[in-house]
Amino acid sequence: MLKYRSYTADNLHTLPQYGEIPEEQIHIVKTVATVYPFRVNSYVTENLIDWSNIPEDPIFRLSFPQEEMLNPEDFQRMSGLVSTDAPQDIIRQAAREIQLLQNPNPAGQMELNTPLLDNEVLHGIQHKYRESVLFFPSEAQVCHAYCTYCFRWPQFSGLESLKFANNDITLLLDYLKEHPEVKDIIFTGGDPMVMSTALIKKYIQPLLDIPTVKTIRIGTKALSWWPYRFTAEHDSDEILSFFEQIVSSGKHLAIMAHISHPREIETSQAVDAINRIRSTGAVIRSQSPIVRHVNDDADIWEAMWQKQLQLGIIPYYMFLERDTGPKQYFEIPLSEAVEIFNTAYQRMSGLGRTVRGPSMSCAPGKIIVQDITEIHGEKVFVLKFTQSRNPEWTNKIFFAEYDDDASWIDDLSPALGHEEFFFENEMERLYTCS
Ligand code: SF4
């Protein structure tokens, strides 16, 4: 019988591989997990982690907190509290102070993306780009994975004021009536695939009757982190039938799979799940950030995109790590990321070049670093919007001064004598008006 076992810092000793984790590493996990969420399930521990290679194993690093995710002073502080069995409220308070200094609300998600309906704020809905709206179901505020680099970490850490969540689909329906320009609805979380099929239907079914909505997207890690969701759970067949129903209603159903490493799609369980989803007419696209210690290597991306192509998954995005949480541990300079992207991209056939990146999902939009070049003797980054708050910015190319260490748009300055990037004035106006 299929059993979902979940391991946290509190029950880590029940993990069958517990004896293989050095004591020092266990203390690190317990310490860092006070600040950043940690949970891993039995499918991952049994099928994806190479226990003979910890702590270097990329899937271990993706799932288990590491010491360097905290700065040395914070680590010492929390380590002291954990070692001395300090009362839980003292630990929680100390952790909260650290969390609030980690930019828990990056890219203006709260201030800029939350829409209004009849002057009421629509919590749990984000409308950043003209054609697409994100919906965060209340019941999907957890995830099958708690990736150590997750930019949604505040939602899993009990920072209630930073949660986006809603359980009232009628608000979205009313909003869509007033916004026929919205073509895509993106269900995200956490992970919507933690919900039962009945709940998923509650949210998606009403959208099938709205002619202006053309595409339903579901962002999920379940495909590779708990593939049994599509093959062996009590309502797996129902979810696949519902996928078929969505497709036969004339909507495009896109499963936006979060896949960070080729190993995630090499198991027979993941392959079965992929085949079953594709048989419904849904299309699977893949996206992931490039992060240090997990996938900072062109060979890994080439192998991952190649495997995806073979399995019928469309490579979609390579993201850069957002400026939140333990960014300093995972971040990759733009110069290195573009080198890794271009090397892997150049090795793909045309079918694999559907992927875009490396992309910064920042307040003005999605900006990809296309290349590094020289213009009139000045070394510059070539940047391009693939998605933007103002649709007229999309596909526009612009330039930033080359900087070896830059890892995010905020680190960059305009090149070629410009004082500001072309979109900055308008962004400022948007901020002021919001
Ligand atoms: S799958 Fe995505 S939302 Fe879930 S923990 Fe990982 S990065 Fe966060």
Side-chain angles (χ1 to χ4, degrees):
M1 165 106 165
L2 180 63
K3 194 145 190 193
Y4 188 102
R5 285 201 191 81
S6 184
Y7 302 100
T8 65
D10 293 333
N11 71 356
L12 199 55
H13 58 280
T14 64
L15 177 73
Q17 297 83 3
Y18 186 76
E20 295 174 46
I21 310 176
E23 219 168 281
E24 188 197 350
Q25 191 70 41
I26 287 170
H27 176 68
I28 290 171
V29 171
K30 291 188 171 175
T31 299
V32 181
T34 58
V35 177
Y36 294 117
F38 162 61
R39 186 162 64 87
V40 64
N41 73 46
S42 45
Y43 171 79
V44 176
T45 58
E46 286 164 17
N47 297 282
L48 297 184
I49 293 175
D50 175 1
W51 291 98
S52 67
N53 184 34
I54 62 164
E56 279 74 28
D57 181 64
I59 308 291
F60 181 79
R61 291 213 184 240
L62 194 158
S63 328
F64 283 72
Q66 306 294 318
E67 177 171 350
E68 300 83 353
M69 288 169 60
L70 293 180
N71 73 40
E73 301 77 50
D74 291 337
F75 184 83
Q76 282 313 321
R77 180 180 179 197
M78 299 314 298
S79 168
L81 292 172
V82 168
S83 309
T84 55
D85 269 334
Q88 276 308 309
D89 56 330
I90 303 279
I91 292 183
R92 257 197 305 274
Q93 174 60 29
R96 189 62 90 231
E97 287 167 20
I98 297 171
Q99 287 167 344
L100 291 173
L101 292 173
Q102 310 303 313
N103 189 22
N105 176 29
Q109 294 180 86
M110 277 284 180
E111 306 83 359
L112 286 176
N113 302 348
T114 310
L116 298 174
L117 183 67
D118 299 332
N119 289 323
E120 291 290 319
V121 172
L122 294 180
H123 295 289
I125 297 176
Q126 287 189 19
H127 192 183
K128 179 172 179 182
Y129 305 125
R130 183 176 59 191
E131 297 80 10
S132 39
V133 157
L134 276 85
F135 188 85
F136 296 71
S138 301
E139 299 87 347
Q141 295 302 300
V142 288
C143 194
H144 276 295
Y146 275 2
C147 306
T148 36
Y149 52 74
C150 180
F151 75 89
R152 296 255 164 90
W153 63 271
Q155 286 174 250
F156 310 142
S157 305
L159 285 168
E160 292 298 325
S161 61
L162 293 174
K163 273 190 180 176
F164 304 99
N166 205 314
N167 61 9
D168 187 356
I169 194 69
T170 59
L171 290 174
L172 176 62
L173 300 177
D174 290 345
Y175 185 75
L176 292 174
K177 273 187 209 137
E178 293 195 6
H179 292 274
E181 74 278 14
V182 175
K183 307 282 185 292
D184 286 28
I185 308 296
I186 302 160
F187 285 87
T188 183
D191 189 335
M193 294 312 303
V194 299
M195 296 191 291
S196 67
T197 301
L199 263 174
I200 292 173
K201 277 183 168 174
K202 177 191 104 169
Y203 286 112
I204 297 183
Q205 188 105 47
L207 295 168
L208 304 188
D209 297 324
I210 300 189
T212 49
V213 171
K214 311 293 183 197
T215 296
I216 308 287
R217 297 192 219 177
I218 303 176
T220 187
K221 185 79 175 169
L223 187 64
S224 59
W225 230 244
W226 187 249
Y228 302 129
R229 178 67 188 92
F230 306 99
T231 60
E233 285 202 324
H234 69 281
D235 60 353
S236 295
D237 289 346
E238 282 81 359
I239 195 67
L240 294 169
S241 303
F242 185 52
F243 285 0
E244 275 173 7
Q245 190 194 333
I246 297 172
V247 173
S248 58
S249 77
K251 311 285 186 210
H252 175 64
L253 174 60
I255 303 300
M256 311 305 293
H258 180 159
I259 304 167
S260 303
H261 195 279
R263 199 187 298 165
E264 295 180 53
I265 45 174
E266 281 166 1
T267 67
S268 59
Q269 295 97 320
V271 172
D272 280 354
I274 291 162
N275 289 339
R276 292 197 92 200
I277 291 170
R278 292 188 63 228
S279 74
T280 68
V283 172
I284 308 172
R285 289 181 174 77
S286 75
Q287 51 193 20
S288 172
I290 177 169
V291 279
R292 186 73 72 205
H293 314 293
V294 174
N295 58 18
D296 52 338
D297 183 331
D299 292 347
I300 291 177
W301 286 89
E302 178 194 1
M304 187 158 68
W305 292 336
Q306 200 58 60
K307 186 74 188 168
Q308 288 170 1
L309 269 186
Q310 182 193 339
L311 294 169
I313 299 175
I314 299 174
Y316 185 48
Y317 261 113
M318 173 202 275
F319 288 112
L320 286 149
E321 184 63 354
R322 280 195 181 185
D323 54 343
T324 178
K327 176 178 164 62
Q328 80 291 346
Y329 177 61
F330 291 110
E331 75 185 350
I332 309 250
L334 303 181
S335 54
E336 189 180 338
V338 73
E339 171 71 30
I340 290 172
F341 180 92
N342 286 349
T343 303
Y345 189 84
Q346 285 157 7
R347 293 178 190 160
M348 300 303 295
S349 74
L351 290 182
R353 295 193 184 146
T354 47
V355 67
R356 307 143 174 205
S359 171
M360 294 176 271
S361 192
C362 46
K366 288 195 175 74
I367 298 174
I368 62 168
V369 186
Q370 282 218 292
D371 205 357
I372 298 164
T373 192
E374 244 184 59
I375 301 177
H376 303 312
E378 183 178 344
K379 195 172 180 185
V380 296
F381 284 115
V382 183
L383 306 169
K384 184 171 102 170
F385 275 106
T386 52
Q387 193 48 291
S388 49
R389 208 170 273 283
N390 176 345
E392 288 172 16
W393 304 344
T394 301
N395 239 14
K396 291 248 188 275
I397 287 189
F398 58 107
F399 303 99
E401 285 175 8
Y402 177 80
D403 179 340
D404 254 343
D405 301 322
S407 63
W408 196 248
I409 185 76
D410 298 347
D411 303 330
L412 296 177
S413 304
L416 310 177
H418 291 280
E419 303 227 316
E420 54 189 28
F421 293 120
F422 76 91
F423 53 87
E424 281 187 277
N425 259 335
E426 198 173 338
M427 266 310 287
E428 207 166 304
R429 192 175 54 74
L430 280 170
Y431 267 111
T432 318
C433 297
S434 65

